[in-house]
Amino acid sequence: MTLKRVTRDLIGATLVGVAFLLVSPIFGQTPDVQTAAAASPRATSNGQYGAQSQISLQVAVGYQNIYRGSSWTPVRVSLHNSSNVDVTGTLQIPQSDQSTSVGTTPTFHGLYEAPVTLPAGGTKHVTIYVPGAGIQGHVDVTFHEEKNVVATGTAFPIGIDTSALLIGSLASSPGDTSWLASTIQQQVTTHVVRLTTATLDPLAQALNAFDIIVLSNVDTSQLDHAQVSALEAYVLNGGSLLLVGGPTWQQTLRPLPAALLPGKLVGTRVLPNLDRLRSLGSFPRSAGTQAFAVSVLTKPSGVVRAGQAGVPLVVRKLEGKGVVEYLAFDPALSPVSTGSPLLAHLVAMAAPVAITRTWSPQGFRARFEAIFRAVALTNELANVPAARLPLLAIFAALTLAYVVILGPANFLILRRIGRQHIAWITIPVLALIYVGSVFGIANHLKPNAALLNSIGIVTLGGSAGQQPATFYVSLAAPLPGTYQLTYASAALPASLPQVKSPSGFFPRNASTLQSTPLGLRLQEDPQTRVTFLAMQNWATRDLTLDTSVHIPGSVQSNLRIDAHGDVAGSIHNGTNLELRNPVIVAGQAIAHLPDIPAGATVQARVHPNSDTGGQDPTSFWSNLYGGPELNPSDAFGAFGFRDCCNQVSFPKETRLIDRMRNVIAMLSQAQALTSPGTVLLVGWSDRPLGTFTIDGVTPQRRDLNLIMTPLAVRFPSHGSFQLTDGTLAAHLVDIVPRAPQSCCFGFGGPDTPQQLSVGTGGSLTFEFDLPGSRHIHFQHLVLSTFGGEDSLGPARVYDWHTLRWIPINLSSGSFQFSAPNDFVSPGGQILVEIRATTGSGDITISDQYHALDLSGNGTVT
């Protein structure tokens, strides 16, 4: 910007400010945005809103009136205009209180909005996504035309928590998935809701409410691109997709992308029976003698759990963090559909972690976790160093000029022209010009003076393109007023109110938050827009954004397990981001690397181990960079009650590493930052991600993004290798569901998904995946338990040579395979089953990723 342009803008702003000061006494003050927005709707004489309104409104929340408190929830509104004129207005949904019944005083609340134009005689359908945690059993929707409420609607959905299983059924008719209703209902409270190709949400964040999505006998070609992309993202982020083949597989499975299929489907075949399914559970005897039409899958990319006559009947494929399970037969067809342990097992196999999560009591600790998260998040977001704003320099120069002009310059000029007697006029005029200048310049530069303090979490997949991201954003406003933030991509925004706890915790209800001032207006469509209302000097307000960011390129690794047990090789940063202070996490071992510029390659070496040293995942992440450990664990988990009524204090951030330490400490409190048993690269980028504007102007930004990406680890192409504990982690792939009888399953919850439990008669099956195992030959292979898991029940391992389970003894803490290569499948899987018997009682595993370890040595030919 040239000096001439700056001067012109300042003069214009000065004139505008002076004019405003001159006319404001005549026309009165401009109404405050917050006051106008909160003005009561105009009521008729009988007290009813819009009694003669010709706008009708219907509300549907969640899925068949069911919503999950831990996920984004769709609020679907149908508006009909029966008048003969077009109506333009705004849909509004106030943010409800958080789901905890105890807490502290929040500072403000938010309001979700969507602009709507209703044509004469027309109907529109609008969907707004709101956090499930804030629904509180009811949702109020109003439609405003200017300041008047012309239509209202209320829904009373039923909320479920993590103690229930939610299954979405995408099928042509309810009968196609009627077999789901009673499969595991005796062990787990299960809700099955019907989806259609018209109502399947195009956002993975909303689909995350489902533990399983079933596709059966439905024409998936009717799904649009956004819906298919949402299904892919749903699986990659940890969802479970159950695909039903059988005689109608073409319309259901052929239109799906390859990423959602565990192989290549080539046709249909009729089998005389399905007798080989008995290995997964009993079913009606007639199913062993009746012919079945099954779909034929070739080149399966997952584990074939059951097959017959060369046809895979049940295939389970890991895709990202999620699962795709494929059935070659249709369970809705008789006699399999009559209900059997087989069907219960097939459903449980699709989402074993979700099922064991349902037995975890939430209760006490979960009520407080949201509060502690908010305290940690908002205090770090407000941890902004002293501002160095050009605005301050301008005000200082303007004040100095005013003093000089008002005093010596005014006196000298009036004396030179002989008009000292009009000083009583010039001094007030100059003072008015100064005040107007300050006012005009302040309003002109207000968007430039605002500061966005942003913390992001981005998880990179194996390919370039859109990557899931969560941003925690704080707007620091040095000047009072209303600010409008626009994010130039699709996102789901949510307010993050600061909390005050002057007198500790107290009971609260849905009206607690509504009694606070309206702080944010949130709009999701057609673009993400957030209005920060009536901010004070140097105030901050915070929000979160669930979104995705485009990152070209990917991080690629060429890491090998060597003869010393190290994981060593190269890491190439193919993205456009410089990764600062990167760290490799392998089990409980870490290795710090030099900064990796965009396009650069570094060499890395780490010796994995699984020794936790008694520390929980929270403290592990807090100490990753030697940073503060905010809330040491006590009997109630990661948050101690001695911190319940105190504000969290973060150290000052004078260096980038200081901010990294504070952020990782904050995120370890607010997120489930755990290593899912894979070798993980953790790096940082202070490059702005996503495009934000304030009142149409690019603001000052202070960004820090945590970049995480799993790294592929392989065995050597040839030669010897040493496999050490902590290199490969087991993950739960199957469960025979039996509810545990004991109530001592900790205070886990949604933030501790690695904790597992099963009752007597049930079992847990874990899988190790050996990369590139076709030419691997083990001389020695040892399976061991770790982390104090000495209460494991009887165990079995699957012999892929004889296709049967072999009992083993883990009472000593380890088992050495006598013929190790027989227990490795052609695809590199090793299956271990832990059984809960009458003798062992309930089985509880504190960390599914570190309960079992593999070690040994061998060669690659």
Side-chain angles (χ1 to χ4, degrees):
M1 185 181 292
T2 63
L3 179 61
K4 181 179 180 181
R5 181 180 175 185
V6 172
T7 305
R8 184 183 62 204
D9 289 349
L10 291 180
I11 292 174
T14 301
L15 294 176
V16 170
V18 173
F20 180 86
L21 288 177
L22 291 175
V23 301
S24 59
I26 302 174
F27 295 101
Q29 294 292 331
T30 301
D32 183 82
V33 175
Q34 181 176 357
T35 304
S40 299
R42 186 168 51 194
T44 61
S45 59
N46 60 4
Q48 298 297 316
Y49 293 153
Q52 305 301 320
S53 174
Q54 294 179 299
I55 306 297
S56 60
L57 183 155
Q58 292 182 331
V59 184
V61 177
Y63 306 94
Q64 292 179 203
N65 211 41
I66 294 175
Y67 73 96
R68 171 156 276 164
S70 56
S71 302
W72 288 92
T73 300
V75 179
R76 309 183 199 278
V77 183
S78 296
L79 292 159
H80 178 70
N81 179 10
S82 59
S83 70
N84 57 2
V85 296
D86 295 347
V87 176
T88 299
T90 304
L91 269 180
Q92 293 186 344
I93 303 176
Q95 172 193 356
S96 297
D97 200 0
Q98 295 297 311
S99 59
T100 50
S101 59
V102 291
T104 63
T105 305
T107 54
F108 63 88
H109 74 278
L111 181 70
Y112 286 88
E113 294 184 327
V116 179
T117 298
L118 277 174
T123 300
K124 277 203 172 179
H125 304 282
V126 180
T127 301
I128 299 176
Y129 294 90
V130 301
I135 289 181
Q136 287 284 63
H138 77 279
V139 174
D140 298 318
V141 181
T142 56
F143 182 64
H144 295 249
E145 186 182 10
E146 295 182 348
K147 297 180 183 180
N148 302 323
V149 176
V150 295
T152 64
T154 300
F156 299 92
I158 300 171
I160 63 172
D161 56 22
T162 55
S163 63
L165 201 69
L166 184 61
I167 302 177
S169 165
L170 184 60
S172 296
S173 66
D176 293 323
T177 52
S178 59
W179 55 275
L180 284 168
S182 60
T183 51
I184 54 176
Q185 187 69 48
Q186 293 181 349
Q187 300 297 327
V188 179
T189 301
T190 306
H191 301 274
V192 180
V193 299
R194 189 184 175 205
L195 306 174
T196 67
T197 53
T199 61
L200 182 72
D201 288 290
L203 296 176
Q205 295 96 326
L207 298 183
N208 288 339
F210 294 104
D211 298 300
I212 306 173
I213 295 179
V214 181
L215 272 59
S216 177
N217 193 25
V218 61
D219 185 3
T220 54
S221 65
Q222 296 180 11
L223 298 175
D224 60 29
H225 176 73
Q227 291 172 311
V228 174
S229 298
L231 278 175
E232 290 187 78
Y234 163 76
V235 174
L236 290 173
N237 294 339
S240 297
L241 188 64
L242 180 55
L243 306 177
V244 176
T248 61
W249 69 268
Q250 292 92 338
Q251 68 167 356
T252 304
L253 304 182
R254 190 186 292 278
L256 296 179
L260 295 181
L261 296 173
K264 183 178 180 181
L265 286 155
V266 295
T268 306
R269 183 173 170 184
V270 177
L271 297 179
N273 56 62
L274 297 179
D275 193 59
R276 290 300 180 92
L277 287 175
R278 294 189 187 279
S279 62
L280 298 178
S282 61
F283 56 94
R285 184 175 299 275
S286 57
T289 60
Q290 182 173 328
F292 278 84
V294 298
S295 49
V296 179
L297 183 80
T298 62
K299 300 180 180 179
S301 55
V303 178
V304 178
R305 296 303 307 272
Q308 187 167 324
V311 178
L313 298 179
V314 180
V315 181
R316 191 178 191 275
K317 170 193 175 184
L318 296 177
E319 187 69 26
K321 298 178 182 179
V323 172
V324 175
E325 183 178 327
Y326 158 81
L327 308 181
F329 58 96
D330 188 349
L333 300 179
S334 178
V336 178
S337 62
T338 56
S340 65
L342 169 66
L343 294 183
H345 190 183
L346 294 176
V347 173
M349 191 190 306
V353 176
I355 288 174
T356 189
R357 181 209 64 215
T358 63
W359 299 319
S360 171
Q362 304 304 300
F364 193 65
R365 175 184 168 186
R367 295 174 181 268
F368 297 92
E369 285 183 336
I371 304 168
F372 292 127
R373 290 194 199 102
V375 170
L377 286 167
T378 56
N379 278 274
E380 166 53 21
L381 287 172
N383 192 7
V384 180
R388 299 181 180 91
L389 300 176
L391 190 64
L392 299 179
I394 293 175
F395 285 162
L398 194 62
T399 302
L400 179 62
Y402 166 71
V403 171
V404 171
I405 293 174
L406 186 64
N410 180 51
F411 174 76
L412 292 175
I413 292 174
L414 292 179
R415 188 178 66 173
R416 184 178 183 84
I417 63 176
R419 297 289 185 91
Q420 294 95 330
H421 60 281
I422 65 172
W424 66 275
I425 297 177
T426 59
I427 291 178
V429 169
L430 288 173
L432 184 64
I433 292 175
Y434 169 75
V435 174
S437 301
V438 172
F439 188 88
I441 293 173
N443 279 275
H444 183 73
L445 298 180
K446 186 182 71 171
N448 304 84
L451 172 67
L452 280 186
N453 194 31
S454 172
I455 298 169
I457 305 176
V458 182
T459 303
L460 301 183
S463 59
Q466 294 295 120
Q467 308 294 344
T470 299
F471 291 119
Y472 300 97
V473 180
S474 177
L475 174 69
L479 297 172
T482 294
Y483 297 77
Q484 186 176 89
L485 177 147
T486 302
Y487 178 66
S489 296
L492 295 180
S495 62
L496 185 66
Q498 296 176 334
V499 294
K500 299 178 181 179
S501 50
S503 57
F505 294 113
F506 56 86
R508 64 184 188 183
N509 53 38
S511 64
T512 304
L513 197 60
Q514 296 305 312
S515 63
T516 63
L518 176 60
L520 299 181
R521 294 179 176 273
L522 306 115
Q523 179 179 304
E524 300 166 351
D525 188 48
Q527 63 180 342
T528 307
R529 183 176 297 166
V530 179
T531 303
F532 297 77
L533 298 167
M535 296 190 67
Q536 303 300 315
N537 282 20
W538 301 107
T540 61
R541 283 191 195 152
D542 312 317
L543 74 148
T544 65
L545 289 173
D546 275 354
T547 183
S548 61
V549 292
H550 179 77
I551 297 181
S554 60
V555 175
Q556 300 173 337
S557 63
N558 184 23
L559 300 176
R560 307 280 178 172
I561 302 170
D562 66 17
H564 305 287
D566 292 343
V567 172
S570 62
I571 298 174
H572 176 70
N573 179 12
T575 72
N576 62 347
L577 305 175
E578 179 182 9
L579 299 181
R580 311 280 296 274
N581 289 75
V583 172
I584 291 182
V585 179
Q588 296 296 311
I590 62 173
H592 290 268
L593 303 177
D595 291 352
I596 313 177
T601 300
V602 299
Q603 298 299 314
R605 179 178 294 273
V606 61
H607 190 81
N609 70 71
S610 55
D611 183 9
T612 62
Q615 65 182 353
D616 57 67
T618 296
S619 62
F620 173 77
W621 280 87
S622 296
N623 294 321
L624 196 61
Y625 291 91
E629 189 172 347
L630 300 183
N631 294 298
S633 299
D634 62 11
F636 296 101
F639 298 97
F641 277 105
R642 60 174 172 269
D643 299 306
C644 72
C645 303
N646 298 320
Q647 295 294 317
V648 177
S649 178
F650 286 86
K652 292 184 63 175
E653 299 171 355
T654 58
R655 302 170 299 166
L656 181 62
I657 188 63
D658 297 330
R659 192 175 189 213
M660 290 179 183
R661 290 168 176 168
N662 288 344
V663 168
I664 202 70
M666 177 270 287
L667 291 177
S668 67
Q669 309 296 323
Q671 292 265 337
L673 290 180
T674 57
S675 173
T678 58
V679 177
L680 195 68
L681 177 68
V682 178
W684 302 84
S685 172
D686 54 2
R687 177 175 176 174
L689 297 179
T691 302
F692 292 90
T693 59
I694 299 293
D695 297 339
V697 177
T698 301
Q700 302 177 75
R701 292 183 60 171
R702 182 174 180 261
D703 297 83
L704 186 62
N705 300 293
L706 175 64
I707 311 294
M708 298 188 292
T709 180
L711 300 176
V713 177
R714 301 174 178 85
F715 287 91
S717 56
H718 66 278
S720 61
F721 65 85
Q722 181 77 33
L723 182 65
T724 61
D725 292 338
T727 306
L728 300 175
H731 46 271
L732 187 69
V733 296
D734 198 0
I735 183 174
V736 175
R738 296 292 184 273
Q741 299 303 308
S742 64
C743 59
C744 57
F745 188 41
F747 291 94
D751 292 329
T752 55
Q754 66 273 20
Q755 197 172 40
L756 307 171
S757 183
V758 70
T760 301
S763 65
L764 303 169
T765 301
F766 296 87
E767 178 181 307
F768 290 94
D769 293 305
L770 308 181
S773 61
R774 187 171 298 276
H775 303 289
I776 293 175
H777 298 277
F778 283 98
Q779 277 82 46
H780 298 91
L781 185 62
V782 176
L783 174 70
S784 58
T785 63
F786 187 77
E789 310 289 3
D790 55 357
S791 60
L792 298 182
R796 302 190 302 177
V797 293
Y798 192 73
D799 188 330
W800 294 92
H801 181 69
T802 62
L803 301 180
R804 61 190 181 93
W805 289 95
I806 306 298
I808 62 174
N809 186 357
L810 282 174
S811 59
S812 63
S814 65
F815 168 78
Q816 181 167 334
F817 294 85
S818 58
N821 298 300
D822 291 345
F823 298 91
V824 182
S825 76
Q829 289 82 26
I830 297 176
L831 297 177
V832 182
E833 181 189 70
I834 307 296
R835 302 164 62 195
T837 64
T838 303
S840 67
D842 296 343
I843 297 297
T844 297
I845 294 176
S846 59
D847 187 343
Q848 65 161 311
Y849 300 119
H850 302 103
L852 298 173
D853 269 315
L854 275 182
S855 60
N857 59 67
T859 58
V860 180
T861 59

